[in-house]
Amino acid sequence: MMSNRAVLVMLAAALGMGAPHPAAAGDTDPEALVNALNAVFGANPGKRAAHTHGFCVKGAFVPSDEAGKLSKAPHLSGKGPWPVVARFSMGGGNPEAPNTQKDNTRGIALHIDLGQGNQTDMVLISAPVFVAKTPAKFLELLQTVASKDKDRIGAFFKANPESTLQKSWLNARRVPASYATTSYFGVHTFTLTNAAGAKQIIKWKLIPKAGEVGLSDDEAKTKDPDFYRPELVERLARGPAEFDLTAILGQPGDARDDPTAFWPEDRTSVVMGTLTIAALEDDTVCDSNMFDPTNVSDGIEGPANDGIFQIRSPAYAVSFSRRNQ
Ligand code: HEM
């Protein structure tokens, strides 16, 4: 089942009312963002406007003993295993985005089934930062790229150097050899609250237990652009793919509302549990619903003034309602 907010934003989008969104998202219209994504990547009827190329899997999440000390959220303080439906994807709206591309993010989106019709979601990418600080900047970036005007594009990145950080970070690393051998980051800053009311700011990071395994540029060239799916099928036939869900603990002064800002490398982490991906799932299971980053449980709170975080849910609702028309 979806959160009330997800239902509300989807209804609003379906009725063409424009989805409601908090003031922190500023004046940027979620529909304009989806239109701009379509202008860059093409509109692909029946498909997501972003992270279009992907597939559905299933597994389970089991929290660690430490997790409940930081958050009272049911899946972190309870026992588990909690059933999970997940989707791996390539960033951007190209339905054939090559799995061999280095400077593109990989994504993982999770529905964690909390029982009694409730679920909580996580939507992460394989880079610690996003490409724009605010929805208005993301809209400007997409519209600039859609113009294909090299001078305009160059001027945008010169004026907004934070928008180059994700690409540089990805280019400094290898092409992930598998969806199961890359780390995924929540990017935004969340606040955890435990049963005693103590609060801690954190960033999510999923770390593959198989290690971060990458391909050299030459190895990547020998791979089929759609090799991740058969690779995972083969891998899962040998055993499940596992990830540690970790919470990177923030300190006073660490950026809370800027998805383009890195936290210092030396922050400590707590292992919050194990995500196990056991098998592929029918894609209709992932497509019949949207993964909503704001659908968090009591005990986990999204950032209050991060406009990118605020506008994601209404933008996803626009994409969801269009792909279901
Ligand atoms: C203003 C900023 C953003 C916009 C407008 C945006 C837009 C979208 C849209 C339209 C979708 C497709 C939703 C659907 O049809 O269900 C999507 C999916 C996705 N986005 Fe974003 N996004 C933004 C920021 C981010 C950030 C910061 C992250 C990572 C932390 C992220 C990660 C993902 C992932 C992993 C998916 C795939 C979800 C799935 O498999 O269904 N996005 N995004």
Side-chain angles (χ1 to χ4, degrees):
M1 214 182 85
M2 272 167 279
S3 68
N4 289 339
R5 177 169 165 73
V7 171
L8 191 73
V9 289
M10 281 200 294
L11 267 177
L15 294 172
M17 289 160 54
H21 56 97
D27 292 333
T28 307
D29 176 8
E31 217 165 329
L33 278 165
V34 174
N35 291 341
L37 281 162
N38 287 169
V40 172
F41 298 106
N44 295 289
K47 298 196 163 141
R48 287 165 176 74
H51 288 261
T52 317
H53 186 197
F55 59 88
C56 196
V57 295
K58 62 184 168 189
F61 175 74
V62 177
S64 67
D65 292 341
E66 293 302 300
K69 294 179 191 162
L70 280 167
S71 173
K72 61 184 175 185
H75 60 298
L76 298 175
S77 58
K79 263 221 161 325
W82 307 95
V84 167
V85 166
R87 184 170 175 274
F88 287 116
S89 59
M90 295 297 297
N94 173 3
E96 288 163 13
N99 295 153
T100 49
Q101 190 182 340
K102 185 186 270 192
D103 63 352
N104 193 5
T105 54
R106 279 73 185 150
I108 187 170
L110 311 175
H111 291 310
I112 304 174
D113 182 352
L114 303 176
Q116 297 177 330
N118 295 312
Q119 69 179 28
T120 186
D121 295 352
M122 297 181 84
V123 190
L124 304 94
I125 51 172
S126 62
V129 287
F130 189 57
V131 292
K133 215 187 255 287
T134 63
K137 280 287 167 203
F138 190 39
L139 183 61
E140 190 186 339
L141 168 59
L142 290 168
Q143 289 172 340
T144 305
V145 171
S147 77
K148 296 194 174 124
D149 177 336
K150 284 213 168 92
D151 292 342
R152 236 181 105 184
I153 296 172
F156 177 88
F157 286 113
K158 202 165 174 210
N160 302 282
E162 71 280 4
S163 290
T164 64
L165 297 175
Q166 185 188 84
K167 191 173 175 154
S168 322
W169 192 91
L170 290 165
N171 276 332
R173 282 158 183 81
R174 292 179 151 220
V175 173
S178 165
Y179 275 135
T181 64
T182 188
S183 290
Y184 297 89
F185 302 81
V187 173
H188 306 285
T189 302
F190 291 83
T191 302
L192 302 183
T193 309
N194 69 13
K199 291 187 184 294
Q200 170 67 51
I201 57 163
I202 61 113
K203 288 200 187 211
W204 294 119
K205 182 177 179 186
L206 266 178
I207 304 176
K209 290 206 184 195
E212 289 181 359
V213 184
L215 304 173
S216 69
D217 291 353
D218 283 344
E219 284 169 331
K221 278 185 205 135
T222 67
K223 297 282 184 187
D224 187 89
D226 209 6
F227 79 97
Y228 278 163
R229 190 188 173 103
E231 190 282 336
L232 200 73
V233 169
E234 213 174 282
R235 179 182 291 269
L236 298 181
R238 297 195 299 272
E242 293 185 327
F243 295 85
D244 278 330
L245 175 65
T246 65
I248 304 169
L249 308 182
Q251 293 183 12
D254 288 347
R256 289 168 183 240
D257 294 308
D258 180 356
T260 63
F262 292 90
W263 276 2
E265 283 287 326
D266 64 357
R267 296 290 175 263
T268 51
S269 292
V270 175
V271 176
M272 302 290 279
T274 303
L275 171 69
T276 301
I277 301 297
L280 262 66
E281 175 58 286
D282 199 297
D283 281 335
T284 54
V285 176
C286 281
D287 296 347
S288 64
N289 202 329
M290 69 181 228
F291 294 90
D292 180 352
T294 62
N295 180 22
V296 291
S297 311
D298 191 25
I300 305 174
E301 228 178 297
N305 297 304
D306 173 348
I308 292 286
F309 181 76
Q310 310 297 346
I311 208 162
R312 284 178 68 191
S313 179
Y316 292 21
V318 171
S319 170
F320 179 80
S321 77
R322 286 186 186 174
R323 68 182 157 88
N324 276 286
Q325 261 162 19

